[in-house]
Amino acid sequence: MRIGIPKEMKDSESRVGMTPAGVAELTKRGHEVYVQHTAGENSGFADGEYEAAGALILPSIQQVYETADMVVKVKEPVEPEYSLVRQGQVVFTYFHFACDRPLTDAMMNSGAVCIAYETVQKDDRSLPLLIPMSEVAGRMAALNGAYYLQKTKGGSGKLIGGVPGVLPAKVLVLGGGTVGEAAARMAAGMGAEVTITDISLPRLRQLGMELPVNVHTLYSSEYTIRKLLPETDVVIGSVLVPGDKAPHLINREMLKLLQRGSVLVDVAIDQGGCFETSHPTTHSHPIYEVDGIVHYCVANIPGAVPNTSTMALTNATLRYVVALADKGWRQACKDAAALHRGLNIVDGKVTFKAVADVFGLPY
Ligand code: NAD
């Protein structure tokens, strides 16, 4: 199969759909891989590395889309790419159709086969192509919490891990899923005193067994959050209610329970945020202040570390890319229910119920 790796066109997106290691695996199996000139540059992968792995470099994005039977990307195609997507072409990427009607219409009109990373789902309901980005975002949340505690960054001036004779900072992680666990582990590794909450007791039991001793588990309720806020320095919001907006676990009135210069990191901002005072921010303007509390609400945290994020993403996507390339999309989706659940648009029709429901389209 001919596989195309275009350079991402979305604003400030530095990741790329495949690493040279992924390309090597595909070319070894007899597939042809076409990479757009400088596609991997911002992730730390030069054209020469792709060529050494057997790829051919094409000068323009038009040529990549023209040549490829399957396009492997990171983010959804943006408007200038809509007309490049061809009838019958497989596009494998994050789409998030439900919040983008123009994209949905464009992909229906293209006649392409759109397989969305975010809905590839295993039988145990886990989402294998979302997990790696949550693992990155959780670790980054802890790092950013520590960073913005600095006085020069608007914070209270506390060093996250303390020093001998001075207590460490306290970190509260709301939601103990993939993001929360990664955040707690990173914060604990920096020496903070960490509390992680969830509403699932089995999950809290598991976290209690696996996380280091400076992480304490707590059943989540407004009462317990109110009790903890006065002595908390960093709050990391990482709850997820699948298919719904994030609940507001800290409202504006509760901000006054925190000390000035405390930091809120709202990782759940892509689901509306779990603090009432959150609104999405960008890597160029990541923070703002409300009532003396620093808010960090970047909606694409993994974009700050594209080298690691690209490798983590390819690690997770490659087995599906290989199956699609070896067998063709019909057989690959027949053989793997997880991949079949990723099908969102085929031949001009929406094939994913939640997307059809949002737009009142036939399913
Ligand atoms: P997850 O499903 O693994 O974990 C969510 C956890 O929240 C679950 O354990 C659940 O029991 C818990 N929860 C639900 N309601 C709760 C409540 N009221 N109180 C306490 N806990 C509650 O999800 P995840 O992969 O960890 O993702 C968390 C959020 O982070 C999602 O919204 C995801 O989209 C987002 N995310 C954002 C970025 C970013 O760049 N901003 C990157 C990756 C993920």
Side-chain angles (χ1 to χ4, degrees):
M1 186 184 274
R2 284 168 303 190
I3 298 143
I5 315 294
K7 188 170 175 129
E8 293 297 315
M9 286 186 83
K10 191 160 179 162
D11 190 31
S12 345
E13 180 54 69
S14 297
R15 290 171 290 176
V16 62
M18 192 166 297
T19 58
V23 170
E25 184 60 32
L26 289 165
T27 53
K28 187 180 84 185
R29 304 172 85 90
H31 300 294
E32 294 168 23
V33 185
Y34 297 87
V35 178
Q36 187 183 341
H37 172 53
T38 71
E41 197 173 55
N42 291 333
S43 290
F45 304 117
D47 285 355
E49 288 182 69
Y50 286 104
E51 284 177 309
L56 283 164
I57 304 296
L58 292 178
S60 72
I61 192 164
Q62 285 81 3
Q63 283 163 293
V64 173
Y65 275 94
E66 267 165 29
T67 313
D69 304 310
M70 172 164 67
V71 173
V72 179
K73 277 173 56 59
V74 181
K75 297 302 273 187
E76 73 283 358
V78 292
E79 223 227 294
E81 284 173 284
Y82 290 175
S83 61
L84 302 178
V85 178
R86 293 186 291 107
Q87 170 92 26
Q89 189 168 52
V90 175
V91 185
F92 192 35
T93 193
Y94 290 118
F95 277 106
H96 296 286
F97 280 119
C99 43
D100 196 338
R101 181 70 200 247
L103 173 72
T104 307
D105 289 340
M107 291 304 107
M108 285 168 71
N109 292 336
S110 73
V113 177
C114 300
I115 309 178
Y117 289 166
E118 69 273 10
T119 70
V120 171
Q121 187 174 38
K122 292 189 185 173
D123 291 342
D124 65 3
R125 302 182 63 80
S126 64
L127 300 163
L129 305 187
L130 280 183
I131 287 173
M133 293 305 101
S134 288
E135 290 171 333
V136 172
R139 285 165 172 77
M140 290 292 290
L143 289 178
N144 282 302
Y147 181 75
Y148 286 106
L149 272 183
Q150 292 177 75
K151 195 78 189 164
T152 47
K153 302 293 167 201
S156 60
K158 282 194 189 175
L159 178 58
I160 187 104
V163 290
V166 182
L167 291 173
K170 291 192 173 168
V171 175
L172 172 61
V173 180
L174 302 175
T178 310
V179 169
E181 180 181 354
R185 200 179 285 284
M186 187 61 113
M190 291 188 285
E193 196 63 32
V194 184
T195 301
I196 185 164
T197 73
D198 208 289
I199 48 172
S200 158
L201 275 179
R203 180 62 180 156
L204 287 174
R205 285 193 190 103
Q206 188 187 10
L207 291 169
M209 302 226 285
E210 290 174 2
L211 287 170
V213 289
N214 53 336
V215 181
H216 313 284
T217 62
L218 187 68
Y219 190 80
S220 184
S221 70
E222 183 176 333
Y223 182 87
T224 48
I225 294 171
R226 279 181 182 274
K227 289 271 274 191
L228 283 181
L229 288 184
E231 17 177 278
T232 295
D233 301 293
V234 176
V235 185
I236 294 171
S238 48
V239 295
L240 177 64
V241 181
D244 209 346
K245 285 185 86 169
H248 286 164
L249 300 182
I250 297 183
N251 60 31
R252 176 145 195 180
E253 176 265 319
M254 290 162 80
L255 291 190
K256 68 173 186 295
L257 296 171
L258 289 155
Q259 296 161 49
R260 285 186 79 78
S262 299
V263 180
L264 301 187
V265 180
D266 201 341
V267 187
I269 192 67
D270 59 343
Q271 302 292 330
C274 58
F275 312 130
E276 187 186 9
T277 44
S278 295
H279 62 72
T281 59
T282 60
H283 288 297
S284 37
H285 296 97
I287 58 161
Y288 60 94
E289 206 185 289
V290 179
D291 299 343
I293 307 301
V294 180
H295 289 56
Y296 175 97
C297 308
V298 173
N300 66 329
I301 297 172
V305 285
N307 178 262
T308 301
S309 297
T310 292
M311 288 193 273
L313 187 60
T314 299
N315 288 346
T317 55
L318 187 61
R319 60 193 306 224
Y320 299 105
V321 174
V322 165
L324 289 163
D326 283 356
K327 302 177 182 180
W329 72 269
R330 281 180 205 280
Q331 192 59 43
C333 291
K334 218 179 255 175
D335 290 352
L339 202 47
H340 191 268
R341 294 182 189 110
L343 285 172
N344 275 229
I345 292 179
V346 177
D347 225 358
K349 292 193 189 67
V350 173
T351 55
F352 193 79
K353 189 171 183 314
V355 175
D357 287 351
V358 165
F359 299 128
L361 291 165
Y363 166 71

